Amino acid sequence: PIDGWRVQIGSVKYETSADKIIDSLAQVSEIEPHTMWRDGLYKVQVGDFKTMEHADQLRRQLNEKGFPDAFVVAAQVRPANLPDSTSISSATRAARAEEPASTPSAQQSEGWRIQIMSVSSMANAQRAKQDARRKLGMPVYIAEVNGMFKLRAGDFSTRSEADRAKQKAEQMGYKGAFPVRSRIQR
């Protein structure tokens, strides 16, 4: 990673809320979002730019496309992702399966999820997420960790619940699945 710029389009308390922002973005752009957990919030950012000016061009376009609160932030960006252009596409992606709705009463707590795979692009992670949700019949989340996108399934209070889900995941073809400590939806 190098020093660069991104456009932040959301900062929310719940991962399902971040997924909704990503779904809204997918309706107006094919730009791959970056979601990270920092300072107790899920931050949704887009772009990898060398200059603030290029990031600001994207910010203005996103403002016009329905993200009025988008703003430019300094970030560690991946040189391989630096675009030749700052233009966003108006193409619409296929609709994604919907996450469970977050409500004001939803709470997060420490618990367990099952990591079922790790991929190098958000696009691959989104496709795999849909498939995993269908196969496993439970919520599937994407966590960006050191430039990799980890698919983690379920919201389990105990390790034993997570271990049972791990067995189910392995039976469904996710060999090498393993439990991880995580903030979960309750």
Side-chain angles (χ1 to χ4, degrees), residues 19 96-100 116 126 128-141 174:
D19 285 344
R96 294 188 190 117
E98 202 164 296
E99 287 286 352
I116 56 174
Q126 289 290 352
K129 176 181 175 180
Q130 291 174 6
D131 187 50
R133 188 181 309 146
R134 184 177 39 77
K135 284 182 179 177
L136 298 173
M138 64 182 75
V140 178
Y141 306 93
Y174 296 102

Side-chain angles (χ1 to χ4, degrees), residues 6-7 9 18-19 21-23 25-26 29-36 43-48 78 81 93 96 121-123 125-126 142 144 149:
R6 287 185 175 155
V7 178
I9 59 173
D19 285 344
I21 293 169
I22 291 167
D23 288 342
L25 176 68
S29 173
E30 292 185 354
I31 294 174
E32 289 187 18
H34 308 276
T35 304
M36 68 252 355
K43 314 247 176 163
V44 181
Q45 300 174 352
V46 293
D48 281 312
R78 291 178 228 132
N81 292 347
R93 290 186 194 166
R96 294 188 190 117
S121 82
M122 177 60 92
Q126 289 290 352
I142 299 171
E144 183 179 9
F149 299 91

